[in-house]
Amino acid sequence: MSLVIGVPRESFPGEKRVATVPEVVEKLIKLGFSVSVESGAGDEANFSDDTYRAAGAQIVQGAANLWSTSDIVFKVRAPSAEEVGLIREGSTLIGFIWPAQNPELMQQLAAKRVTVLAMDSLPRTLSRAQKMDALTSTAGVSGYRAVIEAANAFGRFFNGQITAAGKVAPAKVFIAGAGVAGLAAIGTAASLGAIVRANDTRAEVADQVVSLGGEFVKVDYDEEGSGGGGYAKVMSEGFQAAQREMYAQQAKECDIIITTALIPGKPAPKLITAEMVQSMKPGSVIVDMAAEQGGNCELTEPGKVVVKHGVTIVGYTDLPSRLPKQASTLYSTNLLRLTEELCKDAEGKKTTDGIINVNMEDEAIRGLTVIKEGNITWPPPPPKPVAAPAAKPAPAAAPAHGHGPSTTVSSPKRVVTMFVFATLLFALIGMGAPTAFLGHLTVFVLGCFIGYMVVWNVTPALHTPLMSVTNSISSIIVIGALVQVAPPLADGMARPELLIKCLAAAGIALTAINMFGGFAVTRRMLDMFRKN
């Protein structure tokens, strides 16, 4: 019997997202599940009950009815105490749980003997887990929305303009933290025409900042800031002092500051002091994306927009919920990909019978599972170390002279032998060949040699794009074929034989395919790197 997936209406104040959308409902039904949606669950995200019915979902009236009849519950926010009381024993709950910050909730859920998969606990270092990474999806929406909120509060153009009324300077935006949310903010602000600067404790993100149109501002202090798992770590006092000095300078120069710094399981670090806020130009804006965890700015008031020292400080804690339709669509897709991973048999083959298998041997599923049938399994064991690649065997040393044949390709003896053989062959051909033929043969041999040396000395990583171009360039041979099939320019000139004409025509056809195909492949490869 297939399981029922229930989607309740979010009870957290101000939350407008919904855990699944009609488009995903259809795909869940194809996996064999039945889907129940609480009436009004998608209203705030512009998904009406009728759209869910059209997708095949059943609309259930009241949260109690939905929770009591659902085998699997999809949620966005962690359940409230009232919702924990409604959950059916032995069922499965999937959503954001934050087990480190909610130990009491973990105990309450364990007491209900449920299985809980926390979307915030996904091992983000696994490449195959990216399709299930709801944190990344949510952070991308938050970063985009943060720039929109900043533009709304700023009251000026982001891009520079020259108008009849005068010149407008572009806005200067500083992004503190270049994680997923920070990179989304950088790309959005740059696309609006602002001068964007950014900083992060992880030096490896500098190239990403530049690629999105920003300038990476480096702290004058050498210390690695990567904390593993894709997150930053807590930095030393020396680094933090140098970082505060840099932030103070940026606060004086920039019009907008967007802070994104968060470390899982810890309060948001204070990056922007009251003195920095006071030094900013009147009309400046700070968007504190870490407001829900206390904020990166000392003057942030979570959930509010305040004006301090002439600076507007935006402390919204519901940035993803301010783009509810987009955020819901992305999050529901993450849940769908997770469900597909759960719908596998013991051999790893996909199933469509509406039954899930929480496979604790799967590293991604094990990391997500914080409670298994009432037993708390969080935190997960450390990830398995990646096996080092096997060392390549050392090449065998060439045998000493006189103790067997040499295996070295470029040995002097072999080179001399080949050179003598080629010279004798060339002399024999030259004794009976016309003078014009010898000239063409010389050019041909030199062309083969140069082509061989050029192509074979190219780095293997470049062979695919290079070969497509060289094949196209080498198609100049079509010119020689055209000369052979073309009529003679004067009556005194010899006409080519029919066999030569046929070979030349075949050469033109084959070379045309090679030429146009090479350029088509090259263009396809270049399009992969072209920004739309």
Side-chain angles (χ1 to χ4, degrees), residues 60-330:
V60 177
Q61 300 293 330
N65 291 332
L66 183 121
W67 285 87
S68 62
T69 57
S70 299
D71 302 299
I72 305 169
V73 177
F74 284 178
K75 268 190 64 62
V76 179
R77 295 271 186 169
S80 63
E82 181 181 354
E83 289 173 326
V84 172
L86 296 175
I87 193 169
R88 196 176 76 189
E89 288 193 11
S91 60
T92 300
L93 173 65
I94 305 177
F96 286 110
I97 303 297
W98 304 107
Q101 291 90 337
N102 296 304
E104 293 183 5
L105 173 63
M106 293 285 288
Q107 294 296 332
Q108 294 170 2
L109 291 170
K112 299 286 288 189
R113 303 190 63 79
V114 297
T115 296
V116 181
L117 278 69
M119 297 300 291
D120 46 89
S121 298
L122 179 74
R124 302 175 78 182
T125 54
L126 298 176
S127 58
R128 59 178 287 265
Q130 293 178 359
K131 60 186 178 181
M132 302 179 279
D133 192 353
L135 284 176
T136 295
S137 301
T138 303
V141 174
S142 299
Y144 176 89
R145 185 66 191 192
V147 176
I148 302 303
E149 296 293 342
N152 179 60
F154 185 46
R156 275 177 45 200
F157 293 136
F158 262 46
N159 63 326
Q161 296 187 18
I162 299 177
T163 68
K167 182 179 180 180
V168 179
K172 294 180 180 179
V173 180
F174 178 70
I175 314 291
V180 175
L183 292 173
I186 292 167
T188 306
S191 66
L192 290 175
I195 297 174
V196 184
R197 303 169 183 170
N199 168 262
D200 196 278
T201 57
R202 296 160 292 186
E204 63 267 21
V205 304
D207 291 338
Q208 300 176 44
V209 171
V210 174
S211 68
L212 289 171
E215 174 192 351
F216 188 79
V217 183
K218 191 176 184 299
V219 177
D220 190 16
Y221 193 97
D222 291 331
E223 182 178 349
E224 173 55 41
S226 180
Y231 297 100
K233 70 175 185 180
V234 178
M235 306 301 287
S236 66
E237 284 297 329
F239 182 93
Q240 292 181 31
Q243 187 182 54
R244 283 192 294 269
E245 184 178 345
M246 182 270 290
Y247 283 156
Q249 183 63 34
Q250 295 300 321
K252 295 176 182 178
E253 298 177 4
C254 293
D255 304 299
I256 296 170
I257 295 178
I258 299 176
T259 64
T260 71
L262 272 177
I263 299 174
K266 298 182 182 295
K270 299 300 180 185
L271 305 179
I272 309 299
T273 64
E275 291 76 13
M276 295 179 193
V277 175
Q278 194 169 1
S279 69
M280 297 180 72
K281 292 173 286 188
S284 298
V285 178
I286 296 175
V287 180
D288 194 338
M289 295 182 62
E292 192 168 4
Q293 300 297 327
N296 295 138
C297 177
E298 287 184 347
L299 302 181
T300 297
E301 296 185 18
K304 298 180 180 179
V305 178
V306 297
V307 178
K308 302 286 182 69
H309 306 295
V311 177
T312 302
I313 304 174
V314 180
Y316 290 142
T317 58
D318 60 347
L319 288 173
S321 191
R322 289 175 177 268
L323 284 172
K325 188 168 187 176
Q326 183 66 77
S328 299
T329 301
L330 293 175

